[in-house]
Amino acid sequence: MKAIVVEQTGGPGVMRVLEGDDPGPRPGQIAVRVAAAGVNFIDVYHRTGAYGLPLPFTPGLEGGGYVAAVGAGVTGFAVGDEVAWKSVPGSYADLVVGDADEFVPVPEKVAVETAAAVMLQGLTAHYLCNTVYAVQEGDTVIVHAAAGGMGLLLTQMVKSKGGKVIGTVSTDAKAELARQNGADHVMRYEGFGAKARELTGGEGVAAVFDGVGKTTFGEGLSALRRRGVMALFGQSSGPVPPVDPQDLHRGGSLVLTRPTLHDFTATRDEYLWRAGEVFQMIEDDDLLVRVGETFRLEEAPEAHQALESRKTTGKLLLIP
């Protein structure tokens, strides 16, 4: 097998391809031939050491592929099955091995590469607008980075529930893509809080879905209506400074949460439910999955450079 290996943390150039032996699955595990691996900001955090991992390691958590071998005691999977996953370490490789419960079956009508592109972001979008803040018909919410892979999926899910989306973007091209994707209002980041209040007649938005962090957080709080929800699910611009709880009081009994997908797929049943709903939306043509660029496995440094530039739209995939 071949895999990307990080032997020391740092810039994109620390990632390189190495070859090794096929480890094979242990009892309770399956081995999967990778068709596509998702590229996500958490992979960048691992590579830089912001989220520390023991060295050396192979980055990547998300992907889709075909079952190559089944370990002892595993039921429900057979060699050749199409599967996808959201949190199997070492996914920047042509073969991954993990506990069988970390994988979900991919329906026949969903391409395995499409499944690979929605496991982390699609399930995150699902829990954000269904559980962290259950969007109701007529609600207005802010979706930051509305033309990114996550923003495109979340906007569509909010719209499917009857909500209205104010999307923030950094370029004209991204603005056009966000509009094509269904965002009701699209604007640059500068002054978005005041503009959102104006668009809601001074009331403010029901929720802010913020994966940007440092540069958007404070203004996002100011855009919330009474009892509004700030869902800070990422920090692509850097970590948010300490927050005074009194700011939540002064803002109108605001709710602040820092959710993570792991806690919203805490059981096998919940994991299958969220994945099943996302796949069903794809099958019903209610969720369009946009892959912005694909890279060869050995081009992982270029993929990270593209992601960190924040000039990308849609999902980035590595193809072994």
Side-chain angles (χ1 to χ4, degrees):
M1 64 171 290
K2 62 178 181 178
I4 295 292
V5 175
V6 173
E7 296 177 313
Q8 61 180 17
T9 57
V14 302
M15 296 186 290
R16 60 194 187 102
V17 177
L18 293 180
E19 295 191 5
D21 296 330
D22 179 348
R26 297 177 180 177
Q29 295 184 324
I30 63 174
V32 178
R33 187 65 57 188
V34 179
V39 180
N40 299 289
F41 261 102
I42 192 170
D43 308 336
V44 173
Y45 303 151
H46 288 156
R47 189 207 76 223
T48 62
Y51 293 176
L53 292 177
L55 296 168
F57 66 89
T58 293
L61 296 170
E62 173 191 45
Y66 308 90
V67 176
V70 177
V74 173
T75 60
F77 293 109
V79 172
D81 285 352
E82 294 185 0
V83 295
W85 59 94
K86 62 173 177 58
S87 56
V88 177
S91 292
Y92 285 15
D94 62 1
L95 187 78
V96 298
V97 177
D99 293 341
D101 282 351
E102 293 295 337
F103 299 86
V104 297
V106 176
E108 183 178 347
K109 293 182 180 179
V110 177
V112 69
E113 294 82 4
T114 300
V118 297
M119 290 304 295
L120 197 153
Q121 294 175 334
L123 271 63
T124 297
H126 187 276
Y127 84 68
L128 285 173
C129 68
N130 285 283
T131 308
V132 169
Y133 178 75
V135 174
Q136 304 297 310
E137 187 167 356
D139 281 342
T140 298
V141 304
I142 291 175
V143 174
H144 285 310
M150 175 67 191
L152 293 170
L153 296 174
L154 181 54
T155 294
Q156 291 178 74
M157 289 189 189
V158 169
K159 295 294 293 181
S160 74
K161 295 170 67 65
K164 298 178 181 178
V165 172
I166 297 172
T168 59
V169 297
S170 57
T171 68
D172 289 342
K174 289 186 176 184
E176 181 58 28
L177 180 56
R179 291 188 187 95
Q180 292 174 359
N181 193 57
D184 298 275
H185 306 280
V186 182
M187 61 187 66
R188 301 298 179 91
Y189 291 97
E190 296 78 17
F192 73 85
K195 294 174 185 175
R197 279 210 168 269
E198 182 179 345
L199 288 169
T200 56
E203 179 184 12
V205 299
V208 176
F209 297 117
D210 188 350
V212 177
K214 182 178 180 180
T215 60
T216 54
F217 178 80
E219 195 168 351
L221 282 181
S222 73
L224 286 167
R225 73 186 186 192
R226 179 178 287 120
R227 293 163 57 183
V229 176
M230 167 61 76
L232 181 70
F233 65 90
Q235 52 182 44
S236 63
S237 70
V240 170
V243 178
D244 181 354
Q246 282 297 103
D247 289 342
L248 306 179
H249 159 70
R250 286 187 286 267
S253 301
L254 305 180
V255 176
L256 168 62
T257 180
R258 180 60 174 90
T260 183
L261 179 57
H262 174 76
D263 292 320
F264 290 86
T265 52
T267 66
R268 177 70 175 168
D269 285 345
E270 187 175 25
Y271 184 18
L272 290 172
W273 166 61
R274 293 198 192 279
E277 290 217 340
V278 172
F279 289 152
Q280 189 63 57
M281 290 186 72
I282 296 171
E283 288 186 274
D284 293 342
D285 293 325
D286 290 331
L287 187 66
L288 175 62
V289 181
R290 290 177 170 86
V291 175
E293 287 187 76
T294 60
F295 298 82
R296 299 190 306 275
L297 185 63
E298 55 268 27
E299 294 177 322
E302 289 84 347
H304 275 218
Q305 288 170 351
L307 186 65
E308 290 178 272
S309 74
R310 296 182 66 181
K311 295 178 181 177
T312 60
T313 59
K315 184 72 177 184
L316 304 185
L317 294 177
L318 292 181
I319 307 297

